Amino acid sequence: MQAKPLIQHFETYLPFEVEEKQLIHERISFRKVKRREHLLRTVEICRHYTFVVKGVLRMYGIDGNGKEHNILFASENEWLSDISSFHATQPGESNIQALEPTEVIQIEQQDLYYLYINIPKLDRIFKVITEEKYVELQNRVFQSISSTAQERYLYFLSKYPSLGSRLPNTQIASYLGITPEFLSMIRKELVAKK
Amino acid sequence: MQAKPLIQHFETYLPFEVEEKQLIHERISFRKVKRREHLLRTVEICRHYTFVVKGVLRMYGIDGNGKEHNILFASENEWLSDISSFHATQPGESNIQALEPTEVIQIEQQDLYYLYINIPKLDRIFKVITEEKYVELQNRVFQSISSTAQERYLYFLSKYPSLGSRLPNTQIASYLGITPEFLSMIRKELVAKK
DNA sequence: ATTGACCCATAAACTAGTTTAAGAAATCAG
DNA sequence: CTGATTTCTTAAACTAGTTTATGGGTCAAT
């Protein structure tokens, strides 16, 4: 049953009844995404909350000079969505792309709202999930205003050890807000220190 | 009645019954905070969700060299808390301080949990509030990896026009992740351009 | 009125990070 | 297996932002 990873994820927060699981099962869809395939592009409306079962997605924005900047990565058991575009049903500025062959579970807006109404504990679960994500982002903001690029890189590695080896350094540099050349220098220095 | 600004705030999301308002009223407390007074310091447990009725608070972290960095400001009708410290009942690393004489409404952990249980729509309201805050932070992360200090300053001014004039530039520089000297230069350039 | 704390500005020397360019290494489609 | 594309590294010249120091203005407290 393809909803299983999602149900397991929800049950790390609160237990669910069989009927509730069935309701969820009816309202989600499963999708495979190829490496480099996009789930969302700038100016499109974000129609889904996306849960990563396997693989890695990146969300990125494009600046005034056309350069891409990685806002975040989502790997196994993480949610990803352009939240403001999703709720407002308005075009957003985010892009979502697979960096590996990826499998996701998606919920559309009307289905998510239906589930919120019929399974109120989902309000609580998504409140908690969003709070957790908020704390992560807040730590990242603090880092970005208080730390050097090397410190930020080490923090990234400690926080997402698997991504450090799964992702090309260009993607990591984009996430850290530095050039791949400078990341290369940082890595060289770190190896030298050891 | 001192709970009024808070109830008004909640009712911008969903309507409330009289009994619900009463329940909220019984579980909150009102407090005045002097300019420069702290509501929270590093290593303390964050015991409250704090709602700003009047004034401005800043939340800041301290880096390895003892320097302060502003993570965010909270002014009228905004919530502020060290979320992870609050929920985990564990010492955190955030500091909260008033930058003006400030009036706040506070909810303690047990009272907030009581309200979540007895007024389920508060789960939904705080889910939405946290999502809104999340989107703000995400925009800020994007800015920090994609924009120059001048662009970040102009964005800050456009987003929080009142804070631009209410706060000393040192506080704004700390929020932008630059030195006050450099902000001074940016401001000079902007005036010259006009 | 006067002190002291705080805030802002200016300028010179410095450092962290970018840009450009060019070559080596790894990865991938056919 | 091979050519093509992407990725990583190195280095030199450059730019954005910091540091240090100095001086002036404002405002609350004595």
Side-chain angles (χ1 to χ4, degrees):
Chain A
M1 196 243 250
Q2 290 177 325
K4 203 177 167 191
L6 179 58
I7 302 287
Q8 276 182 349
H9 166 72
F10 282 148
E11 290 202 315
T12 64
Y13 295 94
L14 292 170
F16 279 70
E17 306 291 333
V18 175
E19 311 84 59
E20 292 171 336
K21 294 179 188 179
Q22 183 55 33
L23 226 50
I24 291 168
H25 186 60
E26 287 164 6
R27 298 281 165 159
I28 62 173
S29 60
F30 186 86
R31 175 168 173 184
K32 293 200 176 193
V33 195
K34 287 186 195 141
R35 186 170 127 89
R36 273 165 224 234
E37 186 181 345
H38 277 80
L39 282 178
L40 183 70
R41 283 182 189 272
T42 300
V43 182
E44 290 176 359
I45 294 171
C46 180
R47 301 279 181 191
H48 301 92
Y49 256 58
T50 299
F51 176 79
V52 179
V53 175
K54 188 160 179 18
V56 193
L57 303 177
R58 68 172 178 136
M59 177 184 257
Y60 65 94
I62 301 177
D63 69 20
N65 304 317
K67 282 195 187 152
E68 300 179 357
H69 301 270
N70 287 343
I71 297 163
L72 55 84
F73 302 117
S75 58
E76 283 79 7
N77 297 310
E78 292 191 290
W79 285 97
L80 185 58
S81 174
D82 180 335
I83 296 181
S84 64
S85 168
F86 177 87
H87 287 297
T89 323
Q90 292 280 332
E93 302 189 2
S94 304
N95 302 265
I96 298 177
Q97 185 191 34
L99 294 176
E100 296 178 355
T102 300
E103 296 167 18
V104 300
I105 290 172
Q106 295 191 300
I107 310 187
E108 290 194 22
Q109 196 202 56
Q110 293 314 313
D111 292 316
L112 183 60
Y113 289 0
Y114 173 90
L115 290 174
Y116 279 151
I117 290 166
N118 291 283
I119 312 177
K121 78 181 111 184
L122 282 177
D123 270 324
R124 171 161 315 184
I125 290 176
F126 276 99
K127 180 195 75 191
V128 173
I129 290 172
T130 310
E131 281 177 347
E132 290 167 353
K133 287 286 185 185
Y134 181 89
V135 169
E136 262 183 61
L137 265 194
Q138 194 166 280
N139 289 334
R140 194 155 154 226
V141 166
F142 177 61
Q143 283 249 327
S144 79
I145 60 177
S146 70
S147 306
T148 63
Q150 185 180 95
E151 289 165 336
R152 266 144 48 210
Y153 177 58
L154 289 173
Y155 181 77
F156 170 79
L157 288 183
S158 72
K159 192 102 193 214
Y160 308 99
S162 76
L163 292 186
S165 47
R166 273 164 88 177
L167 300 179
N169 287 338
T170 47
Q171 294 297 335
I172 296 173
S174 170
Y175 174 93
L176 296 174
I178 60 177
T179 58
E181 290 83 359
F182 191 50
L183 177 54
S184 195
M185 238 187 71
I186 289 172
R187 285 159 55 87
K188 191 181 151 195
E189 275 173 27
L190 288 174
V191 170
K193 270 184 197 163
K194 254 188 235 171
Chain B
M1 194 242 249
Q2 289 177 327
K4 202 175 166 192
L6 180 57
I7 303 286
Q8 275 182 349
H9 166 73
F10 282 148
E11 291 203 313
T12 63
Y13 294 94
L14 292 170
F16 278 70
E17 306 292 332
V18 175
E19 311 83 60
E20 292 172 335
K21 293 180 190 179
Q22 183 54 33
L23 226 51
I24 291 168
H25 186 61
E26 286 164 7
R27 298 279 165 161
I28 63 172
S29 60
F30 187 87
R31 175 168 174 186
K32 292 199 178 196
V33 196
K34 287 186 196 143
R35 188 170 125 90
R36 276 164 223 233
E37 187 181 345
H38 277 80
L39 282 178
L40 183 70
R41 283 182 188 274
T42 301
V43 181
E44 292 176 358
I45 294 171
C46 181
R47 300 278 180 192
H48 301 92
Y49 256 57
T50 299
F51 176 80
V52 179
V53 176
K54 185 155 180 27
V56 193
L57 303 176
R58 69 173 178 136
M59 176 183 257
Y60 66 94
I62 300 177
D63 69 20
N65 303 316
K67 283 198 189 148
E68 302 179 356
H69 300 271
N70 286 343
I71 297 164
L72 56 84
F73 301 117
S75 57
E76 284 79 8
N77 296 310
E78 292 192 290
W79 285 97
L80 185 59
S81 175
D82 181 336
I83 295 181
S84 65
S85 169
F86 177 88
H87 286 298
T89 322
Q90 292 281 332
E93 302 188 4
S94 305
N95 301 265
I96 298 177
Q97 185 190 33
L99 295 176
E100 296 178 356
T102 300
E103 298 168 15
V104 301
I105 289 172
Q106 295 192 303
I107 309 188
E108 289 194 24
Q109 196 202 55
Q110 293 315 314
D111 292 316
L112 183 61
Y113 290 0
Y114 173 90
L115 290 174
Y116 279 151
I117 291 166
N118 291 283
I119 313 178
K121 78 181 110 183
L122 282 177
D123 269 325
R124 171 162 314 182
I125 289 176
F126 276 98
K127 181 195 76 193
V128 172
I129 290 173
T130 309
E131 281 177 348
E132 290 168 352
K133 287 285 185 186
Y134 181 89
V135 168
E136 261 184 62
L137 265 193
Q138 194 167 282
N139 289 333
R140 192 152 157 229
V141 166
F142 177 60
Q143 283 250 326
S144 80
I145 60 177
S146 70
S147 305
T148 62
Q150 184 181 97
E151 289 165 335
R152 267 144 48 212
Y153 177 58
L154 289 173
Y155 181 77
F156 170 79
L157 287 184
S158 71
K159 191 101 191 214
Y160 309 100
S162 75
L163 293 185
S165 47
R166 274 164 87 176
L167 301 179
N169 287 339
T170 47
Q171 295 297 336
I172 296 173
S174 170
Y175 174 93
L176 295 174
I178 59 176
T179 59
E181 290 82 356
F182 192 51
L183 177 54
S184 193
M185 238 188 70
I186 289 172
R187 285 159 54 88
K188 194 179 150 197
E189 274 173 28
L190 288 175
V191 170
K193 269 185 197 164
K194 256 188 233 172

